[in-house]
Amino acid sequence: MVTLGIDFGTSSTVAVVELDDGRAVPLLFGETPLLPSAVSMSATGELAVGRDAMQAARGRPQAFEPHPKARIDDGEVLLGERAVPVAELVGAVLWRVHDEAVRVAGSAVGRLVLTHPAGWGARRRQTLLDAAARTGLPAPVLVAEPVAAAAYYAHVLGHEVGLGRCVVVYDFGAGTFDASVVRRTAGGFEVLAEEGIPDAGGLDIDAAIVAYLGAVHGAGDPDGWQRLMAPAAATDRRMSRAFWDDVRAGKEALSRTSMTTVFMPIVELDAVLGREQLDHLARPLLNRTVAATQLAIRNAAIGRDDIAAVFLVGGSSRMPLVATLLHRSLGIAPTVVEQPELIVAGGTLHAHGLQPAVAAPESAPAVSSASLPLPASPVSSVPMASAPVPSMPMAPFPVSSVPLAPSPVSAAPVSPSPLAPFPVSSAPVAPVSPVPVQQVPTQPAAPVQAAALPVHGDPPPGPVQVAPAPGRRRRRLVAAAAAAAVTVAAVVVVIALRFGPPSGGPENTPSSGAAASATGPALRPERLATLEHSGSVLAAAFAPGGSVLATAGGDGSNDVTLWNTTNPATAARIATLQGHEQPVTSVAFSPDGRTVATASLDKTAILWNVADPARPVKLKTLTDHANVLLKVVFSPQGSLIATTGTDQSVLLWNVADPAAAVRVGSMAGQNGLSLAFSPDGKAIVTAEDKERLVVWSVADPRSPSRIAELDLDTEIGHIAFARDGRTMAVSGTKNIVLLDATDLTKPSRLGAVEAKGTVFSVQLSPAADIMAAGGADNAVTLWDVSDPAKPATLAVLSDHKDEVTAVAFDRTGAVLATASSDKTTMLWGLSKG
């Protein structure tokens, strides 16, 4: 029986067919195993797939969808004049692969296996089933991508993975990144933990290279560079596409050599690109992927001895710097194969024992995809012999465990890491030199900031054009018009009502830069970018599952700006949320990142749909508060929000359907600034009488009940929980108190740090090992809180020129955003080593 395994990817789809004689053959689409996942629709309603779709898009760009997988939640996608179900787009890609498989095998496909990200729920998996059913394909078996990768590692490469041991799968593709921990069980493999960065991949590195080339060479021919970045004529579009292809080819060449050239058409220049420049450009993004990998390992609660391998998957993982950073961070040499983009598809052929998935309603149990029964004995690799069938060295690929030479890393003594529960190498990662920040014009020109990497130490002339990768919808930047400067006098008055005059100030500002303390573990904060605003910035928050940053209060007085921070060094505006009549004081993302809540001095909170960040939609305005709002937070489940302000009340809202949000409960007599949900969503913490912390049960949000109180010796300002729920930080005018939150009916003090002035914002990193706080001393202080009872200063970031109003970690903890009344938001890389 012919078996077809398909790895349906965001940018490219890869497939392997097992023939009747047992041979495993990667399918070729032209001369490559990578089929672009793109789909386009002709004027007559016919769908084209892959390179045919990309060719057709030059004439009908409005009828082109480059990444159907990224639209999995959208239901329908508008192609030209027709709304096409996402399942139909996915089905078109699957059918194109099926056609090639039938041609190669010479017979019908009897068994179909489809992969999906480990974090996909039943609804997304159902879309895959619907896609196969629409095209008449066999009922598919669904397999989680890291499980397929682990099966390949064990049964194609022949590595032994003992029962209970784990494979850490680092999957870095063109469009997305996923880190997973997969454990061997008696029945196969199961996923213990996964961390994803949905919009971090090789395309983002390509975009950083393009921005770099524009900074270095674009100034010599600005008109030509503009034609290359925003092609209007058909000839320019062809040359722009060729340029992006050459950038990608140059990046791939630097995995094998130290220097290459990239031809820049229209500008008519051969640009030299070295591996040193590529590493500088890629490092901020790769640091985030390493942090996500560490977080996945920590969440899996395993030790270093439990890890059988760190396995690199996805075409972008072949960059040498990937293996270097992972080895330095984890102390384990990653396993690399020659064609990592084929691993997941190859692993699908070893999904023996699973039955085809059955279409089920949303309420039905999830299709089995987190575990994969394996063959009783290792599958031997069959050489792909002569045949009219196009073949590649599929089983196994050349493989190596990458040692880092010279070998100070592997020889270094092992010490505990605050980001992982097992010892890792203590060898330092080479520091990244700070990069100069320049203004980046978007289309049309709108002032934002981006980083231009130096060539041999010299800053490049001219502005950097941050160019979105062609066809990548979420990277199309929508310029926002700057309006009148925002005033924050009202906010200062409101804060003074609770805290009195701020203490600290310029006289308490640390002397310079990031002054590290010797008391904590090594931390190398590096300013990656400065985002300029037209007024003071009052709030900042990262989207939980991606690389979108929201800043509030600083542009157009009453607006919220969304930024693409996929590569923090080249962060750029995406869109602006306009709807409030007074400055915005707080912003929060829902757990799925599809909804943003904003609170304002105009006494209202607004809910926005930001599923497509470039096209935000206002959903609902909440108007029940009697005075200005200062805080809005989402519950971890996303079905509830809490708002508070100077009317000293906390209101609870059911936002299961954000467009129909309704008030369900309230708590009176609270201080209007302090508000946080516990990570399990069962409790909410507020403050009253300035110094009294109150814990409320919101199991029934219609009737919140007090379950604990705790008096602190400081006026309570900001409250933040660690993601694991073990620790809570409470800031005020004198200090920051760290509390044991494992039992919220009996919160108790663990430790405290002294504050130089009023602290306006405090956050704990996702790994709960770093605390960041900013306030009236114009600085951000970082503490090591891996032992909350013994906090130690790590660094002081003193680049801001005015009060720091907000701090926010991204999902991985590798990037910190700091917002200030000095009209800037700064992005910092937090490298350890």
Side-chain angles (χ1 to χ4, degrees), residues 566-593:
T566 302
N567 187 334
T570 55
R573 296 173 191 263
I574 302 173
T576 302
L577 311 181
Q578 297 176 316
H580 285 290
E581 296 179 357
Q582 294 292 331
V584 176
T585 55
S586 181
V587 60
F589 280 92
S590 62
D592 62 7

Side-chain angles (χ1 to χ4, degrees), residues 38-48 53-54 56-66 77-82 84 89 473 476:
V39 179
S40 70
M41 176 168 285
S42 70
T44 58
E46 297 175 346
L47 291 177
M54 297 171 73
R58 297 175 183 177
R60 281 175 54 83
Q62 75 279 11
F64 177 63
E65 174 48 57
V77 176
L78 186 63
L79 297 185
E81 298 76 30
R82 180 185 160 195
V84 184
L89 299 182
R473 181 167 287 117
R476 292 176 185 164

Side-chain angles (χ1 to χ4, degrees), residues 746-770:
K746 300 177 181 178
S748 59
R749 184 189 293 256
L750 291 171
V753 296
E754 183 179 352
K756 293 185 177 180
T758 300
V759 177
F760 295 144
S761 182
V762 62
Q763 290 290 333
L764 293 161
S765 67
D769 60 331
I770 298 175

Side-chain angles (χ1 to χ4, degrees), residues 119-158:
W120 273 21
R123 178 177 298 177
R124 292 178 174 182
R125 297 197 301 269
Q126 186 65 46
T127 300
L128 286 182
L129 301 180
D130 294 344
R134 279 175 174 267
T135 54
L137 294 172
V141 171
L142 301 185
V143 180
E145 291 163 1
V147 169
Y152 187 93
Y153 178 83
H155 293 277
V156 177
L157 299 182

Side-chain angles (χ1 to χ4, degrees), residues 809-826:
F809 287 98
D810 78 341
R811 183 179 183 181
T812 66
V815 178
L816 176 71
T818 61
S820 171
S821 298
D822 66 5
K823 305 181 183 180
T824 69
T825 301
M826 295 183 183

Side-chain angles (χ1 to χ4, degrees), residues 40 56 80 179 188 191 197 221 229 293 308 325 373 447 545 559 573 581 616 692 700 730 830:
S40 70
V191 178
I197 307 177
D221 185 358
M229 292 298 96
T293 305
L325 293 179
D559 301 341
R573 296 173 191 263
E581 296 179 357
R692 179 173 299 163
D700 181 359
V730 182
L830 303 182

